[in-house]
Amino acid sequence: RDLGARFLSLNGNGTSLMTVTSVELTDRGKCATIFFTVFPDTFEKTALEFAKRKRSEFKEFIKENSKLGRIPLLDFEIDTGEKNRQKIDNLLNQG
């Protein structure tokens, strides 16, 4: 999670804030999905396309900055669960 956050921070263009919220390992650690949110959310599509284009660079970043032996297959996704939680919080705070 920390490596994903550092990578997006170092490689982003600064037009939006990308925050890594969680990492999900599947298939016995062979695949990892990095979930993140984007602010403002109007940049979600652009940010997701950017992150997906940078997957091979992210893999190299992990190799250089961690002691993991085998790097899993990496993917990025927007964290819709966190987005929904924020909407619920906003609705509750308005009432």
Side-chain angles (χ1 to χ4, degrees), residues 35-37 44 77-86:
F35 290 94
F36 66 102
T37 58
E44 278 184 353
E77 291 296 332
I78 299 295
D79 189 343
T80 54
E82 176 63 17
K83 195 173 164 183
N84 290 335
R85 187 200 62 76
Q86 290 172 358

Side-chain angles (χ1 to χ4, degrees), residues 6-65:
R6 280 197 288 156
F7 179 80
L8 291 176
S9 175
L10 291 169
N11 290 282
N13 64 8
T15 58
S16 61
L17 174 65
M18 296 182 284
T19 305
V20 174
T21 55
S22 65
V23 176
E24 183 178 288
L25 288 171
T26 58
D27 198 18
R28 289 188 278 189
K30 293 180 183 175
C31 301
T33 303
I34 295 87
F35 290 94
F36 66 102
T37 58
V38 180
F39 182 82
D41 61 3
T42 53
F43 287 99
E44 278 184 353
K45 183 176 185 242
T46 305
L48 183 59
E49 289 169 352
F50 160 79
K52 287 185 177 278
R53 275 195 317 270
K54 296 287 188 177
R55 285 181 287 207
S56 60
E57 289 179 42
F58 180 45
K59 188 171 188 167
E60 289 302 314
F61 181 81
I62 291 174
K63 284 180 187 175
E64 294 168 5
N65 293 281

Side-chain angles (χ1 to χ4, degrees), residues 80-95:
T80 54
E82 176 63 17
K83 195 173 164 183
N84 290 335
R85 187 200 62 76
Q86 290 172 358
K87 283 181 186 177
I88 290 168
D89 281 351
N90 285 338
L91 290 171
L92 290 173
N93 289 330
Q94 289 175 2

